[in-house]
């Protein structure tokens, strides 16, 4: 399995020549999903007003294409402006179910200074699948993506 540094290096190279925000998000979700077999669903939500709108994703279609700020684990991470890791989604009352197979989830805000542009959301079919390594990887990926996403966000 590649280290998070190796994955981030690949992503940095892929994003360097990509000025289209949507294409940059597509490359990021594909790269992350391919890099970690425990990731069953990887998607990006962009914050438009008070709503998170689903953008590119890899995995089964989600019923949650629009999530109000403060709802779900996604809405909580955006409202709190911080990464949320949930080891057992079925034990978390905030959880909005996407797939019955999902056991754990991590949501990482994509920030521009103190503004939330959106977030990277990853689900796993394994319980407690997300550790410190995943947090480091996904927070760094969010930072790489932020300047690219800003264009798509303004639309
Ligand atoms: N589980 C998320 C909803 C999004 S789906 O996982 C794709 C939540 O609780 O906010």
């Amino acid at each position: 399995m590649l280290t998070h540094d190796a994955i981030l290096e690949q992503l940095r190279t892929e994003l360097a020549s990509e000025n289209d925000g949507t294409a940059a998000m597509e490359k990021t979700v594909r790269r992350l999903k391919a890099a970690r077999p425990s990731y069953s669903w990887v998607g990006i939500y962009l914050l438009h007003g008070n709503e998170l709108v689903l953008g590119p994703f890899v995995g089964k279609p989600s019923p949650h294409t629009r999530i109000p700020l403060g709802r779900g684990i996604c809405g909580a991470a955006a409202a709190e402006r911080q990464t949320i890791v949930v080891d057992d989604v079925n034990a978390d009352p905030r959880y909005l179910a996407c797939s019955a197979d999902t056991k754990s989830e991590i949501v990482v805000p994509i920030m521009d200074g103190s503004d939330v542009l959106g977030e990277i959301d990853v689900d796993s079919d394994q319980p407690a699948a997300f550790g410190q390594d995943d947090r480091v990887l996904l927070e760094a990926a969010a930072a790489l993506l932020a300047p690219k996403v800003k264009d798509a966000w303004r639309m």
Side-chain angles (χ1 to χ4, degrees):
M1 203 165 72
L2 291 175
T3 64
H4 57 72
D5 281 337
I7 300 164
L8 289 165
E9 197 45 52
Q10 290 176 334
L11 192 58
R12 199 172 284 115
T13 306
E14 273 185 309
L15 296 188
S17 56
E18 189 52 79
N19 293 316
D20 179 75
T22 301
M25 289 189 281
E26 284 167 356
K27 286 183 175 175
T28 301
V29 294
R30 267 193 247 124
R31 172 64 57 198
L32 294 171
K33 174 83 166 61
R36 290 284 182 263
S38 56
Y39 295 3
S40 53
W41 192 94
V42 182
I44 291 171
Y45 285 90
L46 291 183
L47 186 63
H48 291 285
N50 283 327
E51 216 170 38
L52 292 158
V53 180
L54 182 59
F57 66 93
V58 188
K60 291 185 210 154
S62 169
H64 304 293
T65 54
R66 289 176 173 268
I67 301 175
L69 202 58
R71 281 211 61 212
I73 295 161
C74 287
E80 293 168 21
R81 296 181 163 81
Q82 60 181 8
T83 298
I84 296 182
V85 177
V86 178
D87 288 343
D88 176 3
V89 291
N90 293 310
D92 193 316
R94 298 170 297 183
Y95 177 61
L96 299 171
C98 179
S99 156
D101 295 328
T102 299
K103 301 289 189 298
S104 57
E105 180 165 9
I106 183 171
V107 184
V108 176
I110 302 167
M111 302 296 296
D112 176 32
S114 58
D115 289 336
V116 177
L117 301 176
E119 57 197 24
I120 302 176
D121 178 17
V122 185
D123 290 351
S124 178
D125 294 350
Q126 300 168 17
F130 304 104
Q132 184 61 19
D133 184 74
D134 301 283
R135 180 189 281 263
V136 169
L137 168 64
L138 296 167
E139 288 181 351
L144 283 178
L145 198 54
K148 312 284 176 178
V149 162
K150 256 175 111 168
D151 301 334
W153 187 67
R154 285 214 184 88
M155 280 163 42

